Amino acid sequence: ELGKFLRTRRARLSPADFDMPAGSRRRTPGLRREELALLAGVGVSWYTWLEQGREINVSTQVLDALASTLRLDRAERWHMYVLAEAVPVAVSTGRCPVTEELTEILHSLDPLPGVVTDARFNTLAENEAYHDLFLYWHSLPCIHRNSMWCTLTEPTARDKHPQYEETVRQQVARFRAAYARHVGEPDWEEDIRRLSILSPEFAELWARHEVAEFQPSTRTFIHPVAGPLTFATNELQVPAAAEARLVVYTPADDETRKQLPRTRA
């Protein structure tokens, strides 16, 4: 996993980015291993072993040099450190528990739609406002209870969500970032396998090895009764439940706030 990530990061750079001549025998895009090792100040053999996934000791100073040379952003840098086992890896405890206190907080947010999800985008709990907002989202029965699955596998999702492509790319990138702590775990591997078969879009995005962290965003959903509704999305981490987060949708304009009551079942 680390080797694949490093190779995709190398491929998006070129010698010209570092004022280096490209040479006449270059057959593949991006930096060569030798060029990256030179720029980062590490041994070629050592870097080759790192990409091959060999058991070697990796210092944070060397990882810092690679991250700077590869021009990784904060999410990509953290992802590389986790894959290189340079930070503690969380031990999975299965499905995150939702406490009574968290459930009370979630329902007190109504009429704001709210949902508690885990790192795989499974829906752990939702309030009635969230349930009503997405009551008509599916053209087929929902069996996944997972927002990423519901976006990628619902045939009408693109028509109901103008920011569909941006949302899907962000979800897959966040899923990839979280996956670094769960490589080899059956539930995660099965999700990846099934999604890769069911959704060519997921398979293409997964192969990019893009990673991302949460960024507040504005999302619009086309509701069959209330029409276009635009929300600002925010997340709150839930310390009591490992890797769980509380997602809240707040009306982003007066029209959405006015029409929101029309979504109620």
Side-chain angles (χ1 to χ4, degrees):
E1 187 70 13
L2 176 61
K4 292 176 183 177
F5 177 72
L6 290 172
R7 286 193 291 274
T8 59
R9 300 309 93 176
R10 274 199 298 117
R12 68 181 183 181
L13 298 172
S14 69
D17 293 325
F18 301 91
D19 298 322
M20 296 170 61
S24 58
R25 296 185 178 181
R26 188 172 299 271
R27 297 181 179 179
T28 57
L31 290 175
R32 295 191 179 104
R33 288 175 176 171
E34 297 81 1
E35 293 167 337
L36 177 58
L38 174 65
L39 291 166
V42 301
V44 176
S45 296
W46 182 91
Y47 179 76
T48 301
W49 295 338
L50 185 65
E51 273 201 8
Q52 291 174 345
R54 297 196 188 185
E55 293 290 338
I56 58 176
N57 293 322
V58 186
S59 70
T60 55
Q61 291 82 1
V62 170
L63 290 175
D64 285 342
L66 287 175
S68 297
T69 306
L70 290 169
R71 302 180 179 180
L72 304 184
D73 62 24
R74 188 172 69 171
E76 292 171 327
R77 184 183 293 256
W78 178 256
H79 185 66
M80 182 181 71
Y81 290 167
V82 174
L83 291 177
E85 299 180 349
V87 297
V89 177
V91 177
S92 175
T93 56
R95 198 169 182 84
C96 301
V98 178
T99 63
E100 292 183 6
E101 294 81 4
L102 180 57
T103 301
E104 184 175 353
I105 292 171
L106 177 62
H107 288 289
S108 72
L109 292 170
D110 199 308
L112 298 182
V115 60
V116 179
T117 70
D118 62 14
R120 288 165 51 211
F121 293 96
N122 288 315
T123 297
L124 306 180
E126 62 185 14
N127 63 15
E128 291 185 6
Y130 181 89
H131 173 269
D132 291 351
L133 176 62
F134 295 103
L135 182 61
Y136 303 105
W137 178 264
H138 292 282
S139 57
L140 297 172
C142 175
I143 61 174
H144 299 113
R145 297 278 294 166
N146 181 296
S147 61
M148 184 171 68
W149 279 79
C150 291
T151 305
L152 282 165
T153 62
E154 169 53 45
T156 65
R158 196 180 295 270
D159 297 329
K160 296 175 180 176
H161 183 28
Q163 296 91 12
Y164 173 86
E165 292 185 2
E166 175 186 343
T167 296
V168 166
R169 183 174 179 178
Q170 175 76 0
Q171 284 180 326
V172 175
R174 293 189 66 190
F175 184 76
R176 166 71 77 175
Y179 171 67
R181 292 183 177 272
H182 301 277
V183 175
E185 293 185 16
D187 287 346
W188 287 76
E189 301 297 343
E190 183 64 10
D191 267 357
I192 296 165
R193 185 189 69 81
R194 292 176 61 201
L195 278 169
S196 298
I197 295 173
L198 293 171
S199 172
E201 189 171 16
F202 173 85
E204 190 275 328
L205 290 170
W206 188 251
R208 295 184 188 180
H209 283 260
E210 293 180 342
V211 293
E213 56 189 359
F214 170 74
Q215 295 292 338
S217 61
T218 301
R219 298 181 183 177
T220 300
F221 304 104
I222 311 300
H223 192 273
V225 177
L229 301 170
T230 303
F231 298 93
T233 63
N234 288 279
E235 289 189 2
L236 302 173
Q237 295 299 315
V238 183
E243 297 190 306
R245 50 190 181 247
L246 172 62
V247 185
V248 184
Y249 293 79
T250 306
D253 52 48
D254 292 337
E255 185 63 21
T256 298
R257 195 173 296 276
K258 177 182 176 182
Q259 295 298 328
L260 187 57
R262 300 183 63 198
T263 66
R264 304 316 296 259

